Amino acid sequence: MSIGISRFGRRRERGQEAPAARWEPLDFATDRVQAMTAVLARFGYRCETPPDVAALTAERLADGIWAAARDLGPDGVLVVHLLTHGHVSETGALYAIGADGEHHSLSDVGHWLQRIVDTPDRPAPCSCSTCATPAPPPG
C-alpha cells in the first residue's frame, strides 16, 4: 500500500475561501507514490493506493492499512509506504498528518506498529515510512 498526501487542510465548499495551511504542500508526493508502486510491482508486489487521498483525514488514515492487513493470507506481506507530514508530540509520539491537516489519536504511528506486533497470528510484517517534519512555529 502506498499513500502520498500532497495537500493539507480542510476541504472547502464551493465559493468558500480556503483557510491558511499549517502544513506546506508535498508537491512531490504523487510522483513518489507512482515511483514506489512501480518498484514494488517489479518485485512482484501488488500495490494499492487509496482512491481519494484528499478524503483521508487523520482519523481515517489507517483504515485502508487495516483493511489490507485483514485481506492477507497467512503468508502475505504488507508493505506500507506513507508519505505525509508528521507531528511529534511532547511525549515523543509520532502522529501522521491526514489530508485534513490534523493529527488524531488514531494516527499514532507507534500504536500502529504496536498493534501489528501485538496481534496474535498477525498476517504480515509491516514497514511504515513517514516524512516527519515539524510544523512551522505559529505567527
Side-chain angles (χ1 to χ4, degrees):
M1 172 160 286
S2 190
I3 303 168
I5 300 176
S6 58
R7 297 282 182 265
F8 304 87
R10 302 203 185 285
R11 286 185 166 183
R12 59 184 165 162
E13 299 297 322
R14 182 174 265 239
Q16 185 182 35
E17 187 174 322
R22 176 177 173 202
W23 302 96
E24 291 294 320
L26 300 176
D27 293 324
F28 55 86
T30 301
D31 291 339
R32 296 277 168 86
V33 165
Q34 290 172 349
M36 178 63 80
T37 58
V39 168
L40 290 171
R42 280 199 304 264
F43 286 100
Y45 291 97
R46 184 189 80 220
C47 193
E48 298 177 6
T49 57
D52 186 9
V53 174
L56 289 177
T57 64
E59 185 176 5
R60 307 302 311 206
L61 197 53
D63 290 352
I65 297 168
W66 303 130
R70 280 190 303 273
D71 293 342
L72 291 173
D75 297 324
V77 174
L78 177 61
V79 176
V80 177
H81 172 246
L82 174 60
L83 181 54
T84 185
H85 284 291
H87 168 74
V88 178
S89 72
E90 291 181 21
T91 63
L94 172 62
Y95 293 91
I97 302 301
D100 57 352
E102 303 293 331
H103 71 280
H104 187 276
S105 62
L106 295 176
S107 70
D108 181 334
V109 176
H111 282 157
W112 293 353
L113 298 175
Q114 287 173 342
R115 179 176 171 184
I116 291 164
V117 171
D118 292 345
T119 301
D121 302 321
R122 63 185 179 272
C126 177
S127 171
C128 186
S129 173
T130 61
C131 173
T133 55

